[in-house]
Amino acid sequence: MLVELMPLAMFAVLLLLLLTGYPVAFALAGTGLLFTVLGSDWLPSLGLALPWEPVFRVARLNVLPQRLYGSIMENYTLVAVPFFIFMGTMLERSGLAEDLLQTMGRLFGRMRGGLAVSVVLVGMLLAAATGVVGASVVIMGVLALPVMLKYGYDQRLATGTIAASGTLGQIIPPSIVLIILGDQMGVNVGDLFVGALLPGMMLGAAYVAWLVIVAWRRPLAAPALPAGADDEGGTGPLWRAVMRCLVPPLALVGAVLGTIFLGIATPTEAGAMGALGATLLALFYGKLSRGNLLSVSDSTVRLTAMVFTILVGATVFATVFSAMGGKWLVEDFLLALPGGEMSFILFVMLTIFLLGFFLDFIEITFIVVPLIAPIADSFGLDPVWFAVLIAMNLQASFLTPPFGFSLFYLRGVTPEAVPTGAIYRGILPYIAIQLLMLGVIVAFPDLVTWLPDLAG
């Protein structure tokens, strides 16, 4: 009986370490190493008795170094991660977000709810251009929130809109989460980018529709800017500002995604092109300096190292967990759920959503996805559709308290006059919209699959 419970105990120890705030990578690897000692024949081979029979021979883990080397060092797909991080960080440091917010404010400010709509549209553009959630939320919080509050926007509406719009980079390609999901599920990343494009745009459109409804029913919560206010800080004709701020980044995004969609380049090759293009755009905007280049490179190395260190820890954990029979335990449980594949989908989506209250999307991807991907395959679920469904769900992890990272980012730049409760209440409608979009994707899988099928 003790032997059968060891995989569950392993998972419980991991969750306990994560909830105490212990670094994720070390929690994963440490748990794996601890249960290697407890569950293998290593201690008995040293003459130390265990109150249970060894679950596996420690010699089975000789494959671990080869698995780590093969899944990380020789993984061409994951090379795209630093390229897209560099591209996004460079565009963020080039002042793109500030220019976009100012230009969109001039375009839509005179309509009721126009500032909030501008924030969503900028969030969508930044998602396609940068995909850096923390930077998007902080920049929009610094630049857009004071203006929205100045002209009488409801605190909950303003903060919720900024937090939700900043997370669109998780679903709108090119997205780091889609690259990681593609690697973990063995799915072509280019197909994921194509499949996620329409759902991501629909999610942004749903945010805009919600804001239009709020502005119509509660005019005082989302007022239009007074005459002349939308030109504050604007220099030159509006058309010139649009051409300068919108056309270059959209051309870069179009070139990066277009080469992937048309099969001209792999995501890794397109990411390299995007990194170079972002550097040239920074030069065009007059923001390319030695200091900026060093700062962007430093951020890229740090974020990439974090992702790959977690991947190393997750590989150790998953290898030991499978050796103990945990993989089969999970598979038997999920396959035995009444209701077949629909129950499986609902259970997995609910589990990922609840884990998002406490864990980051990278942690959930590396821990949960390798366990559920083979089961989804056994049910015959389309892997691209299932991956996009997971990505849409993972996006909510940035907004769900108590550990929603977008909430932390926004709280750090929000005036003290805005209570934390207003931020938490403000994101509730957007979480509901995300869950609604999950239901739409489940009900209409062609929203994800028709573009990849067309491209194929």
Short mmCIF file of all heavy atoms in Angstrom, two decimals, residues 270-327:
data_model
loop_
_atom_site.label_atom_id
_atom_site.label_comp_id
_atom_site.label_asym_id
_atom_site.label_seq_id
_atom_site.Cartn_x
_atom_site.Cartn_y
_atom_site.Cartn_z
N ALA A 270 12.44 32.22 -37.73
CA ALA A 270 11.66 33.46 -37.71
C ALA A 270 11.97 34.27 -36.46
O ALA A 270 11.99 35.50 -36.50
CB ALA A 270 10.17 33.15 -37.79
N GLY A 271 12.21 33.58 -35.33
CA GLY A 271 12.57 34.28 -34.11
C GLY A 271 13.90 35.02 -34.25
O GLY A 271 14.05 36.15 -33.76
N ALA A 272 14.86 34.38 -34.91
CA ALA A 272 16.14 35.04 -35.15
C ALA A 272 15.96 36.28 -36.02
O ALA A 272 16.55 37.34 -35.76
CB ALA A 272 17.11 34.06 -35.81
N MET A 273 15.11 36.14 -37.04
CA MET A 273 14.83 37.29 -37.90
C MET A 273 14.12 38.40 -37.11
O MET A 273 14.41 39.59 -37.29
CB MET A 273 13.95 36.85 -39.08
CG MET A 273 13.61 37.96 -40.06
SD MET A 273 12.60 37.38 -41.44
CE MET A 273 11.07 36.99 -40.58
N GLY A 274 13.21 38.01 -36.22
CA GLY A 274 12.51 38.99 -35.40
C GLY A 274 13.45 39.73 -34.46
O GLY A 274 13.30 40.93 -34.23
N ALA A 275 14.42 39.00 -33.88
CA ALA A 275 15.39 39.64 -32.99
C ALA A 275 16.20 40.69 -33.74
O ALA A 275 16.43 41.80 -33.24
CB ALA A 275 16.30 38.59 -32.37
N LEU A 276 16.63 40.34 -34.94
CA LEU A 276 17.38 41.30 -35.76
C LEU A 276 16.49 42.47 -36.16
O LEU A 276 16.90 43.64 -36.08
CB LEU A 276 17.93 40.61 -37.01
CG LEU A 276 18.65 41.51 -38.03
CD1 LEU A 276 19.86 42.17 -37.39
CD2 LEU A 276 19.06 40.71 -39.26
N GLY A 277 15.25 42.18 -36.57
CA GLY A 277 14.33 43.24 -36.96
C GLY A 277 14.01 44.19 -35.82
O GLY A 277 13.92 45.41 -36.02
N ALA A 278 13.84 43.66 -34.61
CA ALA A 278 13.57 44.50 -33.44
C ALA A 278 14.75 45.43 -33.16
O ALA A 278 14.57 46.60 -32.79
CB ALA A 278 13.27 43.65 -32.22
N THR A 279 15.97 44.91 -33.34
CA THR A 279 17.16 45.74 -33.15
C THR A 279 17.21 46.87 -34.17
O THR A 279 17.53 48.02 -33.84
CB THR A 279 18.43 44.87 -33.26
OG1 THR A 279 18.34 43.77 -32.34
CG2 THR A 279 19.66 45.68 -32.93
N LEU A 280 16.87 46.57 -35.42
CA LEU A 280 16.84 47.60 -36.45
C LEU A 280 15.74 48.63 -36.18
O LEU A 280 15.92 49.83 -36.44
CB LEU A 280 16.64 46.96 -37.82
CG LEU A 280 17.79 46.05 -38.31
CD1 LEU A 280 17.44 45.41 -39.65
CD2 LEU A 280 19.09 46.84 -38.40
N LEU A 281 14.59 48.17 -35.65
CA LEU A 281 13.52 49.11 -35.31
C LEU A 281 13.95 50.04 -34.18
O LEU A 281 13.63 51.23 -34.18
CB LEU A 281 12.25 48.35 -34.91
CG LEU A 281 11.29 47.95 -36.02
CD1 LEU A 281 10.02 47.33 -35.42
CD2 LEU A 281 10.91 49.15 -36.88
N ALA A 282 14.65 49.48 -33.19
CA ALA A 282 15.16 50.33 -32.11
C ALA A 282 16.11 51.38 -32.66
O ALA A 282 16.12 52.53 -32.21
CB ALA A 282 15.86 49.47 -31.06
N LEU A 283 16.91 50.99 -33.64
CA LEU A 283 17.79 51.95 -34.30
C LEU A 283 16.98 53.01 -35.04
O LEU A 283 17.29 54.21 -34.98
CB LEU A 283 18.72 51.22 -35.27
CG LEU A 283 19.72 52.06 -36.07
CD1 LEU A 283 20.71 52.75 -35.12
CD2 LEU A 283 20.46 51.20 -37.08
N PHE A 284 15.90 52.58 -35.68
CA PHE A 284 15.02 53.51 -36.41
C PHE A 284 14.37 54.52 -35.46
O PHE A 284 14.24 55.70 -35.79
CB PHE A 284 13.95 52.70 -37.15
CG PHE A 284 12.85 53.53 -37.76
CD1 PHE A 284 13.06 54.27 -38.92
CD2 PHE A 284 11.59 53.59 -37.16
CE1 PHE A 284 12.04 55.04 -39.47
CE2 PHE A 284 10.57 54.36 -37.70
CZ PHE A 284 10.79 55.09 -38.86
N TYR A 285 13.98 54.05 -34.27
CA TYR A 285 13.35 54.93 -33.28
C TYR A 285 14.38 55.75 -32.49
O TYR A 285 14.01 56.56 -31.63
CB TYR A 285 12.50 54.12 -32.29
CG TYR A 285 11.23 53.58 -32.88
CD1 TYR A 285 10.89 52.23 -32.75
CD2 TYR A 285 10.33 54.40 -33.56
CE1 TYR A 285 9.72 51.73 -33.29
CE2 TYR A 285 9.15 53.91 -34.10
CZ TYR A 285 8.85 52.57 -33.96
OH TYR A 285 7.68 52.07 -34.49
N GLY A 286 15.66 55.53 -32.75
CA GLY A 286 16.70 56.27 -32.05
C GLY A 286 16.93 55.80 -30.63
O GLY A 286 17.43 56.56 -29.80
N LYS A 287 16.56 54.53 -30.32
CA LYS A 287 16.69 54.01 -28.96
C LYS A 287 17.75 52.91 -28.83
O LYS A 287 17.83 52.28 -27.79
CB LYS A 287 15.33 53.45 -28.49
CG LYS A 287 14.23 54.48 -28.43
CD LYS A 287 14.50 55.54 -27.38
CE LYS A 287 13.39 56.58 -27.31
NZ LYS A 287 12.12 56.06 -26.84
N LEU A 288 18.51 52.67 -29.89
CA LEU A 288 19.52 51.63 -29.82
C LEU A 288 20.83 52.23 -29.31
O LEU A 288 21.46 53.05 -29.96
CB LEU A 288 19.74 51.00 -31.20
CG LEU A 288 20.74 49.83 -31.24
CD1 LEU A 288 20.25 48.69 -30.36
CD2 LEU A 288 20.96 49.36 -32.67
N SER A 289 21.20 51.82 -28.11
CA SER A 289 22.45 52.28 -27.51
C SER A 289 23.14 51.09 -26.86
O SER A 289 22.55 50.01 -26.71
CB SER A 289 22.16 53.34 -26.44
OG SER A 289 21.39 52.79 -25.38
N ARG A 290 24.38 51.29 -26.50
CA ARG A 290 25.12 50.20 -25.86
C ARG A 290 24.45 49.78 -24.55
O ARG A 290 24.34 48.59 -24.25
CB ARG A 290 26.56 50.65 -25.60
CG ARG A 290 27.45 49.56 -25.01
CD ARG A 290 28.90 50.02 -24.90
NE ARG A 290 29.76 48.97 -24.39
CZ ARG A 290 29.96 48.74 -23.09
NH1 ARG A 290 29.37 49.51 -22.18
NH2 ARG A 290 30.77 47.75 -22.70
N GLY A 291 23.99 50.77 -23.78
CA GLY A 291 23.31 50.45 -22.53
C GLY A 291 22.03 49.66 -22.74
O GLY A 291 21.76 48.69 -22.02
N ASN A 292 21.23 50.08 -23.74
CA ASN A 292 19.99 49.36 -24.03
C ASN A 292 20.28 47.94 -24.50
O ASN A 292 19.59 46.99 -24.10
CB ASN A 292 19.20 50.10 -25.11
CG ASN A 292 18.00 50.83 -24.53
OD1 ASN A 292 17.71 50.73 -23.35
ND2 ASN A 292 17.31 51.58 -25.36
N LEU A 293 21.27 47.78 -25.35
CA LEU A 293 21.61 46.46 -25.87
C LEU A 293 22.06 45.53 -24.76
O LEU A 293 21.66 44.36 -24.69
CB LEU A 293 22.69 46.58 -26.94
CG LEU A 293 23.05 45.30 -27.71
CD1 LEU A 293 21.84 44.75 -28.44
CD2 LEU A 293 24.19 45.58 -28.69
N LEU A 294 22.87 46.05 -23.84
CA LEU A 294 23.32 45.24 -22.71
C LEU A 294 22.16 44.88 -21.80
O LEU A 294 22.06 43.76 -21.31
CB LEU A 294 24.41 45.98 -21.93
CG LEU A 294 25.77 46.12 -22.61
CD1 LEU A 294 26.70 46.98 -21.76
CD2 LEU A 294 26.39 44.75 -22.85
N SER A 295 21.26 45.85 -21.57
CA SER A 295 20.10 45.60 -20.71
C SER A 295 19.18 44.54 -21.31
O SER A 295 18.70 43.64 -20.60
CB SER A 295 19.34 46.90 -20.49
OG SER A 295 18.17 46.69 -19.72
N VAL A 296 18.93 44.65 -22.61
CA VAL A 296 18.07 43.67 -23.29
C VAL A 296 18.72 42.28 -23.26
O VAL A 296 18.05 41.27 -23.00
CB VAL A 296 17.80 44.11 -24.74
CG1 VAL A 296 17.13 42.98 -25.53
CG2 VAL A 296 16.93 45.35 -24.77
N SER A 297 20.01 42.23 -23.50
CA SER A 297 20.72 40.94 -23.48
C SER A 297 20.67 40.33 -22.09
O SER A 297 20.47 39.11 -21.94
CB SER A 297 22.17 41.13 -23.93
OG SER A 297 22.23 41.66 -25.25
N ASP A 298 20.85 41.17 -21.07
CA ASP A 298 20.81 40.67 -19.69
C ASP A 298 19.44 40.10 -19.36
O ASP A 298 19.32 39.01 -18.78
CB ASP A 298 21.16 41.81 -18.72
CG ASP A 298 21.12 41.38 -17.27
OD1 ASP A 298 22.03 40.65 -16.84
OD2 ASP A 298 20.16 41.77 -16.56
N SER A 299 18.36 40.82 -19.74
CA SER A 299 17.00 40.33 -19.49
C SER A 299 16.74 39.03 -20.23
O SER A 299 16.10 38.11 -19.71
CB SER A 299 15.97 41.39 -19.91
OG SER A 299 16.10 42.56 -19.15
N THR A 300 17.23 38.94 -21.47
CA THR A 300 17.04 37.73 -22.26
C THR A 300 17.71 36.54 -21.61
O THR A 300 17.13 35.45 -21.51
CB THR A 300 17.59 37.94 -23.68
OG1 THR A 300 16.93 39.04 -24.30
CG2 THR A 300 17.38 36.70 -24.53
N VAL A 301 18.94 36.73 -21.15
CA VAL A 301 19.67 35.63 -20.51
C VAL A 301 18.96 35.20 -19.23
O VAL A 301 18.81 33.99 -18.96
CB VAL A 301 21.13 36.05 -20.21
CG1 VAL A 301 21.81 35.02 -19.32
CG2 VAL A 301 21.90 36.23 -21.50
N ARG A 302 18.51 36.16 -18.44
CA ARG A 302 17.86 35.82 -17.18
C ARG A 302 16.56 35.04 -17.40
O ARG A 302 16.31 34.00 -16.75
CB ARG A 302 17.57 37.09 -16.37
CG ARG A 302 18.80 37.76 -15.81
CD ARG A 302 18.45 39.05 -15.07
NE ARG A 302 19.64 39.72 -14.58
CZ ARG A 302 20.20 39.45 -13.41
NH1 ARG A 302 19.66 38.54 -12.62
NH2 ARG A 302 21.28 40.10 -13.02
N LEU A 303 15.70 35.53 -18.30
CA LEU A 303 14.43 34.86 -18.55
C LEU A 303 14.64 33.49 -19.17
O LEU A 303 13.96 32.51 -18.82
CB LEU A 303 13.55 35.73 -19.45
CG LEU A 303 12.97 36.99 -18.81
CD1 LEU A 303 12.28 37.86 -19.85
CD2 LEU A 303 11.98 36.62 -17.70
N THR A 304 15.58 33.40 -20.11
CA THR A 304 15.85 32.11 -20.75
C THR A 304 16.41 31.11 -19.75
O THR A 304 16.02 29.93 -19.74
CB THR A 304 16.84 32.30 -21.92
OG1 THR A 304 16.32 33.27 -22.83
CG2 THR A 304 17.07 30.99 -22.65
N ALA A 305 17.32 31.57 -18.91
CA ALA A 305 17.89 30.69 -17.89
C ALA A 305 16.82 30.18 -16.94
O ALA A 305 16.83 29.01 -16.53
CB ALA A 305 18.99 31.42 -17.12
N MET A 306 15.87 31.06 -16.58
CA MET A 306 14.78 30.64 -15.70
C MET A 306 13.96 29.53 -16.34
O MET A 306 13.67 28.50 -15.72
CB MET A 306 13.87 31.83 -15.39
CG MET A 306 12.69 31.48 -14.49
SD MET A 306 11.45 32.78 -14.43
CE MET A 306 10.75 32.67 -16.08
N VAL A 307 13.60 29.71 -17.62
CA VAL A 307 12.79 28.71 -18.31
C VAL A 307 13.53 27.37 -18.39
O VAL A 307 12.97 26.31 -18.08
CB VAL A 307 12.43 29.20 -19.73
CG1 VAL A 307 11.77 28.08 -20.54
CG2 VAL A 307 11.49 30.40 -19.65
N PHE A 308 14.81 27.41 -18.77
CA PHE A 308 15.55 26.17 -18.97
C PHE A 308 15.90 25.50 -17.65
O PHE A 308 15.96 24.26 -17.58
CB PHE A 308 16.81 26.44 -19.79
CG PHE A 308 16.56 26.54 -21.26
CD1 PHE A 308 15.98 27.67 -21.81
CD2 PHE A 308 16.85 25.50 -22.11
CE1 PHE A 308 15.72 27.77 -23.16
CE2 PHE A 308 16.60 25.58 -23.47
CZ PHE A 308 16.03 26.72 -24.01
N THR A 309 16.11 26.28 -16.59
CA THR A 309 16.38 25.67 -15.28
C THR A 309 15.15 24.95 -14.78
O THR A 309 15.24 23.84 -14.21
CB THR A 309 16.83 26.75 -14.27
OG1 THR A 309 17.95 27.45 -14.79
CG2 THR A 309 17.22 26.11 -12.95
N ILE A 310 13.98 25.55 -14.96
CA ILE A 310 12.74 24.88 -14.58
C ILE A 310 12.54 23.62 -15.40
O ILE A 310 12.10 22.58 -14.90
CB ILE A 310 11.53 25.83 -14.75
CG1 ILE A 310 11.63 26.99 -13.75
CG2 ILE A 310 10.21 25.09 -14.53
CD1 ILE A 310 10.54 28.04 -13.92
N LEU A 311 12.90 23.68 -16.69
CA LEU A 311 12.78 22.50 -17.55
C LEU A 311 13.68 21.36 -17.06
O LEU A 311 13.27 20.19 -17.06
CB LEU A 311 13.14 22.86 -18.99
CG LEU A 311 13.11 21.72 -20.02
CD1 LEU A 311 11.77 21.01 -20.02
CD2 LEU A 311 13.44 22.25 -21.40
N VAL A 312 14.89 21.68 -16.61
CA VAL A 312 15.79 20.65 -16.07
C VAL A 312 15.15 20.01 -14.83
O VAL A 312 15.09 18.77 -14.70
CB VAL A 312 17.16 21.25 -15.72
CG1 VAL A 312 18.00 20.25 -14.92
CG2 VAL A 312 17.90 21.66 -16.98
N GLY A 313 14.66 20.84 -13.91
CA GLY A 313 14.02 20.31 -12.71
C GLY A 313 12.80 19.48 -13.04
O GLY A 313 12.56 18.42 -12.44
N ALA A 314 11.99 19.94 -14.00
CA ALA A 314 10.78 19.22 -14.38
C ALA A 314 11.12 17.87 -15.02
O ALA A 314 10.40 16.88 -14.80
CB ALA A 314 9.95 20.06 -15.35
N THR A 315 12.21 17.81 -15.78
CA THR A 315 12.61 16.55 -16.39
C THR A 315 13.03 15.54 -15.34
O THR A 315 12.69 14.35 -15.42
CB THR A 315 13.77 16.79 -17.39
OG1 THR A 315 13.35 17.74 -18.38
CG2 THR A 315 14.17 15.51 -18.07
N VAL A 316 13.78 16.00 -14.33
CA VAL A 316 14.16 15.11 -13.23
C VAL A 316 12.92 14.60 -12.51
O VAL A 316 12.78 13.39 -12.26
CB VAL A 316 15.09 15.85 -12.25
CG1 VAL A 316 15.38 14.99 -11.02
CG2 VAL A 316 16.39 16.24 -12.93
N PHE A 317 12.01 15.51 -12.19
CA PHE A 317 10.79 15.12 -11.47
C PHE A 317 9.97 14.12 -12.29
O PHE A 317 9.53 13.09 -11.78
CB PHE A 317 9.95 16.36 -11.17
CG PHE A 317 8.65 16.06 -10.49
CD1 PHE A 317 8.58 15.97 -9.11
CD2 PHE A 317 7.48 15.88 -11.23
CE1 PHE A 317 7.37 15.70 -8.47
CE2 PHE A 317 6.28 15.61 -10.61
CZ PHE A 317 6.23 15.51 -9.22
N ALA A 318 9.76 14.42 -13.58
CA ALA A 318 8.92 13.57 -14.41
C ALA A 318 9.53 12.19 -14.60
O ALA A 318 8.80 11.18 -14.63
CB ALA A 318 8.71 14.24 -15.77
N THR A 319 10.86 12.12 -14.72
CA THR A 319 11.52 10.82 -14.90
C THR A 319 11.32 9.93 -13.68
O THR A 319 10.98 8.75 -13.80
CB THR A 319 13.01 11.02 -15.18
OG1 THR A 319 13.16 11.85 -16.34
CG2 THR A 319 13.71 9.69 -15.41
N VAL A 320 11.52 10.49 -12.49
CA VAL A 320 11.36 9.71 -11.26
C VAL A 320 9.88 9.38 -11.04
O VAL A 320 9.53 8.26 -10.65
CB VAL A 320 11.94 10.48 -10.06
CG1 VAL A 320 11.74 9.69 -8.76
CG2 VAL A 320 13.42 10.77 -10.27
N PHE A 321 9.01 10.34 -11.31
CA PHE A 321 7.56 10.12 -11.13
C PHE A 321 7.09 8.97 -12.03
O PHE A 321 6.32 8.11 -11.59
CB PHE A 321 6.82 11.41 -11.48
CG PHE A 321 5.34 11.38 -11.17
CD1 PHE A 321 4.89 11.50 -9.86
CD2 PHE A 321 4.41 11.25 -12.19
CE1 PHE A 321 3.52 11.48 -9.57
CE2 PHE A 321 3.06 11.24 -11.92
CZ PHE A 321 2.61 11.36 -10.61
N SER A 322 7.56 8.94 -13.26
CA SER A 322 7.17 7.85 -14.17
C SER A 322 7.77 6.53 -13.73
O SER A 322 7.12 5.48 -13.83
CB SER A 322 7.63 8.18 -15.60
OG SER A 322 6.97 9.33 -16.09
N ALA A 323 9.01 6.55 -13.24
CA ALA A 323 9.65 5.32 -12.79
C ALA A 323 8.91 4.70 -11.61
O ALA A 323 8.91 3.48 -11.43
CB ALA A 323 11.11 5.59 -12.40
N MET A 324 8.24 5.54 -10.83
CA MET A 324 7.45 5.04 -9.70
C MET A 324 6.06 4.57 -10.11
O MET A 324 5.31 4.11 -9.26
CB MET A 324 7.32 6.15 -8.65
CG MET A 324 8.58 6.40 -7.87
SD MET A 324 8.27 7.53 -6.52
CE MET A 324 9.72 7.26 -5.53
N GLY A 325 5.73 4.72 -11.37
CA GLY A 325 4.41 4.32 -11.81
C GLY A 325 3.38 5.43 -11.74
O GLY A 325 2.19 5.19 -11.98
N GLY A 326 3.83 6.65 -11.44
CA GLY A 326 2.88 7.75 -11.32
C GLY A 326 2.18 8.07 -12.62
O GLY A 326 1.00 8.42 -12.65
N LYS A 327 2.91 7.93 -13.73
CA LYS A 327 2.32 8.20 -15.04
C LYS A 327 1.13 7.30 -15.30
O LYS A 327 0.08 7.74 -15.77
CB LYS A 327 3.39 8.01 -16.11
CG LYS A 327 2.90 8.20 -17.53
CD LYS A 327 4.02 7.95 -18.53
CE LYS A 327 3.51 8.07 -19.96
NZ LYS A 327 4.60 7.82 -20.94
#
